Amino acid sequence: MAAAAARADGQEKVIAAAKHIVSSLATSKNAAEDMIRILSGFDNRLSTINDLFPASSSSARGGDGEGDGVDVDRSEAELRLEVAQKVVLRWDASDSLLWESSPEEAEEYLAAVDDLIFLADPGTSPSAAAAAEDLVSRAEVALQMAMSRLEEEFRHLMVRNAVPLDSNGLCSSIRRLSLSFASDGGETMEDFESSIDDEHQLQLPPQQQEGSPEDRSGSSLIDDRSLDLIHPEVIADLKAIADKMIWAKYDRELHHVYCTVRRDILDECLSILGIDRMSIEEVQRTEWRMLDDKLKKWIQAMKIVVRALLWGERRLCDQILAASEELRDECFSETTKGCVMQLLNFGDAIAICQRSSEKLFRILDMYEALADVLPDLQALYAGDPKDLLCEEAEGILKRLGDAVKGTLTEFGNAIQKEPSRKPTQGGEIHPMTRYVMNYVKLLVVYNDTLNLLLDDGVCGSDQSHSEGCENRNTNGENLESMTPLGRRMLLIISHLETNLDEKSKVYEDGAMRYIFLMNNILYIVNKVKDSELGKLLGDDWIRKHRSQIRQYATSYLRTSWTKVLSCLKDDGYGSGSSSSVSKVALKEKFKNFNLAFEEIYRVQTTWKVPDPQLREELRISISEKVIPAYRSFMGRFGSQLEGGRHATKYIKYMPDDLEYHLSDLFEGLPGLTPRKKA
């Protein structure tokens, strides 16, 4: 306690002595302030000496923006103006840059600007009107020169300290950013990297895990998702300059220089990401291969620009322009809107382009990309009540969705009306079947998006859809239990089946018609069963179509093998008859059988059944009908011809020979002639 009291007593004595020195030496406020600074350098306890001077003197400096409306001594104001003018004029004549010199020089300049801002305010000038007007005028001229210098310094710092552009750095940043939206689908990072022009370079700092938007002006909103677009170490200097310009009411000049620099950099980023300015006419004239590449780049650019670059710009505005909420909102909006509108305009051009099935998946990717970033856009521009950008984005999203729905409708109609009548060789799977089933199988990847878009019902306004839905109901499909996408897939596949049935009628050989239908329907069933389509259409759909394939197989057997089996009927011949009439008839029976079998063999070895299980099942069904009938016929009547002249001319095949030859059917081989089994 005694030691503390002694220290307090010593401190009071030091301060008292300093006050005595100041009061003895000070002839003006400036001299008093200078003396306080000198003494403070020796002992920081002396920095608290403020009670020697009136309040009007202690607050007149105005470096903190306070003291408006307080009169100052004329000689004091003149002296401060002269000192500030000297600092401003010295740098105005210099080609050097303040922030490339020492920090002390920059601090001195900013202090001079503080004095000029204070003195240029008529409310803080000495009371003599004429003198006050002259002082304010001189201060304003010097302040204008200072603002011009600060504007140039601000521009230089912004440009020089922008993140250097480097394509390798961009790809590295994209790879890290992709962790934030890895579930979005779309192209892989490798696909995107390969599409970036090597001439462009953009290096962005590492990205952390994505945070969720909470408060647009708070650090929690953007710190975890944005990129450092300007080196962090110069942010404080930029903010110091911006604060002075805002305080001096040069916010329009600050607005101009800020937006000009950052807008140019964002435009360069778009160029590096492969986004070119294109009119609607240019988009429509571009051939699909090139346009597809541009769509892939657009999808990735939309995610990167909104989820990384725009949040970086938002943070930059909030940090540098913190002194004016209105100015930072204006600067952010004007800096970024051109970049966003360029992306949106391209998306709009795609949405209104001529529809085609090949574009559908890219348009779906574009829809999902825009839908994913729309909440970010709404958060980023929430502070602007007049902002129309989000409304524009929502309108384009709707038009992209309409393009998806319209393309699906046209796709279904095109399948229904596909006009080709050329039969496939050997009853093979039709190219249209492969195309449609692979197409709809890929559509299921967009299950959630398509269910959302198609939720207004599969039966659109066009009549063919309404009729299609009625057909499905009469066929007993439970449409109510199916998702919107499931109903649309059912409709498209039904259109395909109807078209295939029409195409099967071009085959002159009725048996081949059923082979064609079996091949194609089985291909459809397998594609459904082995993909997410099975969940959409259900087990009942699969069972019904398998039953349909069995019916086609029965029809094939009846159409193709009835003639062969008719040759094996006894027609009332007795097994013991040996009359010449009976032998002649038997010879004719065997001869006709041989000819019929060989013709079927020659033709149907060229037919193709790609599915090995169906191929084997058909061969077994044929064997079960033909082999027992032939063996029975041979057992009853073969002995009447055996041993006679030219018996082998009529009995060319044993039952085992027939079974051997049946294994050649449906292999798609050149027409063969049956040969004896080795």
Side-chain angles (χ1 to χ4, degrees), residues 169 171-180 204-208:
C171 293
S172 175
S173 296
I174 292 170
R175 195 175 291 109
R176 293 184 180 95
L177 281 167
S178 68
L179 297 175
S180 299
L204 301 174
Q207 168 69 8
Q208 301 177 9

Side-chain angles (χ1 to χ4, degrees), residues 313-427:
E313 290 294 335
R314 180 75 259 181
R315 179 170 65 175
L316 211 57
C317 285
D318 291 347
Q319 290 173 331
I320 296 173
L321 307 175
S324 172
E325 181 178 356
E326 180 183 1
L327 182 62
R328 69 175 181 249
D329 285 341
E330 287 180 3
C331 285
F332 172 75
S333 181
E334 186 167 328
T335 299
T336 58
K337 275 188 178 180
C339 167
V340 176
M341 283 307 302
Q342 184 176 338
L343 287 167
L344 292 179
N345 287 339
F346 181 82
D348 200 23
I350 294 298
I352 63 177
C353 272
Q354 184 177 2
R355 295 167 184 167
S356 67
S357 58
E358 63 184 356
K359 297 176 184 176
L360 179 59
F361 297 104
R362 287 286 175 243
I363 295 176
L364 274 165
D365 289 335
M366 292 178 73
Y367 179 91
E368 291 188 342
L370 183 54
D372 285 342
V373 302
L374 187 57
D376 292 84
L377 287 174
Q378 291 166 338
L380 283 162
Y381 296 97
D384 186 356
K386 297 180 181 178
D387 177 55
L388 300 177
L389 186 143
C390 291
E391 290 183 18
E392 181 69 16
E394 290 166 2
I396 292 170
L397 184 67
K398 182 180 184 303
R399 288 193 285 278
L400 286 170
D402 290 341
V404 168
K405 292 188 286 186
T407 302
L408 274 175
T409 298
E410 292 180 10
F411 180 66
N413 292 338
I415 295 169
Q416 199 173 21
K417 300 171 184 176
E418 203 280 324
S420 65
R421 303 287 291 172
K422 183 179 179 180
T424 56
Q425 187 174 359

Side-chain angles (χ1 to χ4, degrees), residues 96 99 127 161 185 206 270 287 350 414 584:
S96 301
W99 270 265
S127 57
N161 291 281
L270 277 188
E287 61 118 6
I350 294 298
V584 169

Side-chain angles (χ1 to χ4, degrees), residues 249-267:
K249 297 182 173 57
Y250 276 73
D251 45 343
R252 289 302 93 192
E253 289 78 3
L254 177 61
H255 175 280
H256 175 74
V257 66
Y258 185 96
C259 293
T260 300
V261 172
R262 292 309 307 167
R263 189 166 51 231
D264 289 346
I265 290 174
L266 280 179
D267 287 344

Side-chain angles (χ1 to χ4, degrees), residues 448-502:
D448 293 341
T449 298
L450 287 171
N451 276 328
L452 179 67
L453 288 173
L454 300 173
D455 198 30
D456 55 354
V458 69
C459 299
S461 59
D462 81 285
Q463 187 176 357
S464 64
H465 275 197
S466 300
E467 292 172 353
C469 288
E470 291 173 6
N471 288 338
R472 243 57 66 207
N473 284 321
T474 56
N475 287 339
E477 301 289 354
N478 187 6
L479 297 180
E480 292 183 359
S481 66
M482 300 177 74
T483 65
L485 179 58
R487 292 193 294 270
R488 181 57 62 96
M489 295 299 98
L490 177 64
L491 182 62
I492 289 174
I493 293 174
S494 297
H495 287 333
L496 173 61
E497 292 177 62
T498 300
N499 191 299
L500 289 172
D501 189 67
E502 288 299 313

Side-chain angles (χ1 to χ4, degrees), residues 55-113:
S56 61
S57 296
S58 63
S59 62
R61 182 165 181 80
D64 58 358
E66 297 177 357
D68 293 351
V70 179
D71 289 342
V72 297
D73 182 80
R74 159 124 328 260
S75 60
E76 158 65 12
E78 289 283 354
L79 182 59
R80 290 172 67 182
L81 178 58
E82 288 176 9
V83 171
Q85 282 178 319
K86 286 181 181 179
V87 173
V88 171
L89 289 170
R90 184 174 78 246
W91 281 102
D92 189 60
S94 173
D95 292 330
S96 301
L97 290 163
L98 264 167
W99 270 265
E100 288 184 349
S101 60
S102 66
E104 291 76 18
E105 297 274 15
E107 289 175 10
E108 180 189 40
Y109 196 90
L110 292 177
V113 170

